Amino acid sequence: MKEEECKVLLDAMKACPIDNTFKMIGKKFTIHILRNMTKLGQTRFNEFLSSVEGINPKTLSARLREMEKNGIIEKKIHPGPPIKVEYSITKKGLGLNPVLEAMASFSMKYCATDVFKNGKPRIVKEIYSLPQEAA
């Protein structure tokens, strides 16, 4: 791409697309919630609370509200008693799956000693296609 073409493209942009995505998913724990929804099939508040290390109820509530506002997840309330609340990932949220997989692939390839006990690099399918007890 020529320098002039780049300048025209940049002038047409309202914001950096990478920064825009980061604003939606860059807050602490958002990626973990998305991971647990897409890879573990979690849908309930208490599931996230018990499986996302270090998160507290107030922060979890805030992240779920932000994700809902951004159209990444949907909240469904089932009348009770007891009232049951479930979260599901939207089509827009599923569009982030390649981003999550790219992040995982990067770490598993280039930071294997930080990720795996034996330090051996792996690919995403080796980890996320296994039953969770084996991973």
Side-chain angles (χ1 to χ4, degrees):
M1 186 179 284
K2 295 179 183 176
E3 186 176 334
E4 292 170 16
E5 292 171 330
C6 283
K7 182 160 176 31
V8 169
L9 180 61
L10 289 173
D11 286 344
M13 292 175 64
K14 190 174 173 179
C16 171
I18 294 170
D19 188 48
N20 190 64
T21 302
F22 186 75
K23 285 177 184 175
M24 284 192 282
I25 64 171
K27 285 192 177 176
K28 191 171 184 179
F29 303 119
T30 302
I31 290 288
H32 301 94
I33 297 165
L34 282 171
R35 174 202 60 200
N36 290 10
M37 290 183 89
T38 59
K39 304 300 182 196
L40 304 178
Q42 292 183 352
T43 61
R44 306 288 304 279
F45 186 92
N46 284 334
E47 290 175 320
F48 301 127
L49 194 58
S50 65
S51 64
V52 176
E53 188 177 333
I55 200 166
N56 62 52
K58 183 179 176 181
T59 303
L60 177 56
S61 292
R63 293 302 168 265
L64 291 169
R65 274 194 307 275
E66 292 162 1
M67 293 168 69
E68 187 179 9
K69 180 182 173 192
N70 287 322
I72 296 170
I73 64 170
E74 292 177 331
K75 176 177 161 179
K76 186 170 185 178
I77 300 172
H78 302 278
I83 294 174
K84 182 178 168 186
V85 178
E86 288 186 316
Y87 297 90
S88 60
I89 194 142
T90 63
K91 185 176 179 180
K92 181 178 179 179
L94 287 173
L96 290 164
N97 211 28
V99 175
L100 298 177
E101 290 189 2
M103 291 170 70
S105 292
F106 174 85
S107 283
M108 290 190 295
K109 182 175 182 178
Y110 296 108
C111 308
T113 56
D114 297 327
V115 176
F116 302 111
K117 289 179 183 177
N118 69 0
K120 178 185 170 196
R122 293 172 176 78
I123 60 172
V124 171
K125 288 182 181 178
E126 288 179 272
I127 300 304
Y128 290 118
S129 63
L130 295 175
Q132 288 309 307
E133 306 84 53

